């Protein structure tokens, strides 16, 4: 399984592939930050650690610009510093080629996203989505350890958070349809937890994250 981290800002992005940050000037208020976990659906696949190490190293080229952007958005300075420290911790576990610790570290980094969305999200539903994904990622990171009870708790927390979108009257009909579809997929993920089958969970996890990312 291959895991990558990516930080996005506004309509542009800062990632291992681009190494640049997006909007500036009058568009500062539109900046949004996201950290994504992506996986290849082959549980026994040999991990390409050289690729992952390169992605993390390239991410460092974007961090100074992203940090400045977040300071301009008046995001809590301690949160910014702690996020950057967690990137250092990610580099360490990736260097040691520890899959479980790498997943765990990525979820720690993503846990900062809901906090950042308090300043960058245009609408409240975006923060709800970030909180939902944070819980789903937490569950995903526990697959290798076989902690199905912990995964069940994380997915339940994700469902409780996501439910807030179902009663948001400020969301238009088209987006509400997509949200309702995501809710069904989230419940399907809960069903996968009940079966305790990793492959089924991964299929539904991948589809759910793609649906939420497209909201």
């Amino acid at each position: 399984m291959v895991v990558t981290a990516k930080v996005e800002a506004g309509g542009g992005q800062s990632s291992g592939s681009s190494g640049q940050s997006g909007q500036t000037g009058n568009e500062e208020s539109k900046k949004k930050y996201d950290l994504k976990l992506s996986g290849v659906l082959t549980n026994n696949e040999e991990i390409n650690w050289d690729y992952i190490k390169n992605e993390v190293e390239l991410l460092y080229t974007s961090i100074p610009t992203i940090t400045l952007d977040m300071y301009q958005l008046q995001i809590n300075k301690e949160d910014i510093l702690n996020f950057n420290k967690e990137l250092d911790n990610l580099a360490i576990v990736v260097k040691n080629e520890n899959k479980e610790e790498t997943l765990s570290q990525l979820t720690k980094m993503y846990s900062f996203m809901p906090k950042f969305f308090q300043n960058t999200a245009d609408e409240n539903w975006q923060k709800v989505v970030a909180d939902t994904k944070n819980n789903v990622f937490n569950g995903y990171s526990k697959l290798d350890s076989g902690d199905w009870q912990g995964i069940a708790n994380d997915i339940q927390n994700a469902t409780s958070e996501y439910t807030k979108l179902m009663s948001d009257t400020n969301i238009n009909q088209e987006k509400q349809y997509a949200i309702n579809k995501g809710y069904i997929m989230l419940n399907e993920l809960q069903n996968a937890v009940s079966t305790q089958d990793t492959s089924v969970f991964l299929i539904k996890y991948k589809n759910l994250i793609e649906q939420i990312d497209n909201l």
Side-chain angles (χ1 to χ4, degrees):
M1 183 176 295
V2 178
V3 181
T4 60
K6 177 166 64 176
V7 178
E8 296 182 342
Q13 70 177 25
S14 294
S15 70
S17 59
S18 66
Q20 296 180 347
S21 180
Q23 321 283 333
T24 57
N26 294 332
E27 297 179 335
E28 288 293 333
S29 61
K30 297 181 181 179
K31 285 184 178 147
K32 302 178 183 66
Y33 294 88
D34 196 13
L35 183 73
K36 296 185 178 181
L37 285 69
S38 58
V40 175
L41 182 54
T42 308
N43 198 40
N44 296 320
E45 181 181 1
E46 183 177 351
I47 298 174
N48 186 344
W49 286 107
D50 287 338
Y51 170 79
I52 297 175
K53 291 173 185 177
N54 185 59
E55 287 291 294
V56 173
E57 185 174 346
L58 288 174
L59 186 56
Y60 272 103
T61 66
S62 305
I63 285 297
T65 302
I66 293 171
T67 300
L68 287 174
D69 290 342
M70 289 193 289
Y71 276 129
Q72 290 175 356
L73 289 166
Q74 298 182 336
I75 290 174
N76 184 281
K77 293 181 180 180
E78 185 176 354
D79 286 337
I80 297 173
L81 293 175
N82 287 334
F83 176 81
N84 291 351
K85 288 178 182 177
E86 294 298 350
L87 176 59
D88 292 339
N89 292 333
L90 175 64
I92 292 171
V93 296
V94 167
K95 180 187 69 174
N96 294 333
E97 301 186 359
N98 188 307
K99 175 183 174 182
E100 189 172 340
E101 289 185 4
T102 297
L103 284 169
S104 177
Q105 191 57 41
L106 281 167
T107 58
K108 287 181 182 178
M109 293 183 68
Y110 190 87
S111 69
F112 285 91
M113 295 303 108
K115 298 178 183 179
F116 295 162
F117 263 89
Q118 291 179 352
N119 291 71
T120 63
D122 294 330
E123 301 178 64
N124 183 63
W125 69 266
Q126 293 171 330
K127 182 180 180 300
V128 173
V129 168
D131 282 321
T132 300
K133 288 170 65 177
N134 182 37
N135 284 301
V136 173
F137 289 156
N138 281 335
Y140 171 78
S141 70
K142 296 170 182 170
L143 276 179
D144 276 7
S145 67
D147 181 11
W148 287 104
Q149 184 56 57
I151 295 172
N153 293 338
D154 290 326
I155 302 306
Q156 180 57 53
N157 289 337
T159 303
S160 297
E161 186 66 28
Y162 194 86
T163 301
K164 297 176 183 177
L165 298 177
M166 310 299 288
S167 58
D168 191 335
T169 58
N170 295 318
I171 297 175
N172 63 50
Q173 186 174 357
E174 181 179 356
K175 187 174 293 296
Q176 191 65 58
Y177 178 85
I179 287 172
N180 292 345
K181 183 178 178 181
Y183 182 74
I184 292 173
M185 297 171 77
L186 189 52
N187 279 278
E188 284 297 313
L189 188 61
Q190 283 186 308
N191 293 337
V193 175
S194 299
T195 65
Q196 298 190 4
D197 185 285
T198 301
S199 295
V200 173
F201 182 93
L202 285 171
I203 292 170
K204 294 185 176 182
Y205 162 85
K206 178 178 179 293
N207 293 337
L208 172 64
I209 293 302
E210 288 179 353
Q211 177 66 21
I212 292 178
D213 282 343
N214 288 327
L215 289 178

